[in-house]
Amino acid sequence: MRTYRSHDDYLNEKLKNPKEAALYLNAAVAEDDPALLLAALAQVAKAHGVTRMAKKVSLSRSGLYKTLSRGGNPEFKTFLGLLHASGLQMTFKPGHAR
């Protein structure tokens, strides 16, 4: 019988690639929902290993989980640190006038 990977396993494998992670986070940003962006960032951190990512941003594992939880509010320094540790950088482009 053929074995299948779970969606989480597939996603974690793909998000280890910085190009895929960038596309994933850009899609979350496009939704203009901070909670969705935080959830996407948490998924990227999970793909790279929460313990490893926590060490890179000088937090405990539980501290990083708390920061990236639904009610979390990461400091900008932590946000940038997670991007850098994932092989990503933040860029800006002109938006639409509202």
Side-chain angles (χ1 to χ4, degrees), residues 1-7 9-10:
M1 177 173 233
R2 191 172 183 178
T3 59
Y4 295 95
R5 293 185 291 179
S6 72
H7 178 264
D9 289 343
Y10 173 80

Side-chain angles (χ1 to χ4, degrees), residues 7-68:
H7 178 264
D8 281 343
D9 289 343
Y10 173 80
L11 187 58
N12 286 337
E13 180 184 318
K14 289 296 182 184
L15 292 179
K16 289 178 185 175
N17 179 333
K19 288 181 183 179
E20 294 291 333
L23 290 170
Y24 188 73
L25 291 174
N26 281 331
V29 167
E31 294 297 319
D32 201 24
D33 180 357
L36 181 61
L37 177 58
L38 189 59
L41 186 60
Q43 190 67 46
V44 171
K46 181 180 174 185
H48 287 271
V50 175
T51 301
R52 180 179 158 268
M53 297 294 276
K55 286 179 183 177
K56 288 191 175 237
V57 295
S58 301
L59 288 175
S60 67
R61 178 183 163 101
S62 62
L64 183 58
Y65 272 118
K66 183 178 178 182
T67 298
L68 296 175

